[in-house]
Amino acid sequence: ELQEIHLYQLFKDSVVRTHTLKLYSSQVAVSVCDNLLLVHAYDSKVVLIFDLKINSHSAITAPLPLTASAGFSPLYSDSWRVHAPDYIIDPQAGRVGQLCLDLPAIARSSIDKFCLLQFLLYRSNAQPVILTVLRTALVDLEPLAEVARMFALVNTPEAQVLLEKAVASPHEPAPAADMPPSALLQDAPPAALATPPASIIPRGAQCTPTHTPRPAAAAPGVGAEGEASVAPPPQAQPSASGVPSQARVDPATRRPSRSLASRHIVAAVFRPAISALPATCDEQCSRRRHLLAAMSLYLHSQLQAGLPADPELGSLLLSLLVQQGSFSQLHQLVRTQAVPDSLGLAQELIELETLYAPAAELGMDMLHRLGAPAHGLIVDHLVRKGDVMAACRTIRHLRLFAYPSRPLLEVAAARRDPTVFPTVYAFLALRNRSCRGSTSFLPEEDCDEFTTRYNEQLRAPRGP
């Protein structure tokens, strides 16, 4: 039979019903954990988890069973007492415990990855689980439209909060067998009971089941393999209202408490996916094509969210395109700046000149866009090509007075054109005079041999 739980918002002069939760249980109890409403169904011995920010009518996961550690009375025993906001007291066994969620178990029980990410972004310490969900989406070849929604969801709070939080082990989460149960009822110090019993609903709301629940209520978490448990509670910090401060967060106004740094997503999501690609490079491989599209979608999502696109991911994307010889696609991505400009990427493009001639031009354009930090690399590239005259023009245009003279003179001396060396030497001498008031080179520049050669050419008789 369909039952309802009504939630009310309490104001100074009125009471307003804000939510109505549907469930099929005549005996229920409610507690709060990590801004979630946990409803215990006594008859079926399962826990329903409600996140009012995501779905104000239905539970966000399938019903999950509750598990307690050894030493407590049987589950949903009449001796259990609920203590606000998330404590369980078992006077018969002389134990007290606190609820905590097992996010990996919830993730394993969820089918909709997008809704799962919405849920995880507002949970405490959910970074490793979020990385696992994103990595699983690539492994399962999730539809690209869904992948794009997931990336937009992850990048939006990152753009708003700009919070970088280190992940202890972003590459591989701990196996489920090694994870502690989500909610274990263990002994707690007497200070945990210092707070007098209070309402177990967040401040400003009231829970009213259509049928009065049994006087004893269990408190859930979600444990490994879909079970729930309770971990030993820290000492509660009571507030003036008698409710611990962690339970008085308004779920309607809270913002994501954590965000994922792009470097963690690249390291824990995209790099493992690249490593899992087949050894043979086949551009028709569905997994490779899906990964390339996902990487492009992530870069686009960052730009849409107002974040700088990740240069490391851009470099990885272009490397995959080079491996399969998709140079036209590479050209388009760089030309449209779908991949972010960076010094490393520009140098990689220049080095691709032997395989794809226009890549060098793309790299040079990128260096010009990068500005002052890349000016020296522009001259270096021209010197390596032997175009020493263009290098000198670039030095004059960009006013690179500190660029070393010897590499330019070495290239000029090796040219067969007899006019190149004296022209370059005279240019550098004029640069020395404008900078130091003298045309001479400094001893540390090691240009004596070129000075001797220049003077010899000046003394040499000219032809008729």
Side-chain angles (χ1 to χ4, degrees), residues 50-303:
F50 291 88
D51 188 340
L52 301 181
K53 187 173 184 65
I54 298 177
N55 190 329
S56 60
H57 300 92
S58 304
I60 57 154
T61 65
L64 298 169
L66 176 68
T67 294
S69 62
F72 286 88
S73 301
L75 294 181
Y76 304 103
S77 170
D78 290 339
S79 65
W80 282 18
R81 296 292 185 270
V82 175
H83 189 276
D86 54 2
Y87 294 106
I88 298 300
I89 304 172
D90 186 355
Q92 181 177 335
R95 309 290 292 276
V96 61
Q98 185 183 21
L99 297 171
C100 63
L101 298 173
D102 186 349
L103 297 178
I106 296 178
R108 289 192 296 271
S109 67
S110 178
I111 299 176
D112 190 337
K113 292 184 174 63
F114 178 77
C115 290
L116 176 61
L117 279 182
Q118 283 184 304
F119 167 79
L120 292 174
L121 283 172
Y122 290 94
R123 304 284 75 81
S124 303
N125 304 318
Q127 283 81 2
V129 185
I130 294 176
L131 294 174
T132 300
V133 171
L134 293 174
R135 184 166 59 248
T136 303
L138 298 185
V139 172
D140 295 343
L141 300 183
E142 198 79 16
L144 291 174
E146 189 71 7
V147 172
R149 293 178 66 207
M150 295 170 67
F151 287 156
L153 188 63
V154 170
N155 282 323
T156 298
E158 186 178 31
Q160 294 174 351
V161 184
L162 293 178
L163 173 65
E164 294 186 357
K165 182 176 176 64
V167 179
S169 182
H171 296 282
E172 290 296 335
D178 295 337
M179 293 181 180
S182 61
L184 289 175
L185 290 172
Q186 297 181 354
D187 292 328
L193 303 178
T195 306
S199 170
I200 55 177
I201 303 304
R203 187 178 183 182
Q206 178 182 356
C207 178
T208 308
T210 54
H211 290 266
T212 304
R214 298 195 316 191
V222 180
E225 302 304 330
E227 298 179 345
S229 44
V230 181
Q235 296 197 4
Q237 299 295 328
S239 66
S241 63
V243 180
S245 59
Q246 62 180 355
R248 295 184 290 104
V249 179
D250 184 359
T253 59
R254 69 185 190 275
R255 299 176 66 85
S257 57
R258 300 290 186 270
S259 64
L260 285 172
S262 179
R263 65 176 181 271
H264 293 315
I265 294 180
V266 173
V269 177
F270 288 109
R271 282 194 176 277
I274 293 174
S275 301
L277 290 175
T280 57
C281 182
D282 181 10
E283 62 179 330
Q284 299 302 321
C285 173
S286 59
R287 187 167 296 279
R288 175 179 283 268
R289 295 175 65 182
H290 184 272
L291 178 58
L292 289 172
M295 295 168 76
S296 300
L297 287 173
Y298 184 77
L299 292 171
H300 178 72
S301 174
Q302 286 186 307
L303 296 176

Side-chain angles (χ1 to χ4, degrees), residues 30 89 109 123 159 212 285 311-312 356 379 388 436 463:
V30 183
I89 304 172
S109 67
R123 304 284 75 81
T212 304
C285 173
E312 181 184 0
Y356 182 62
V379 179
V388 66
R436 301 191 295 267

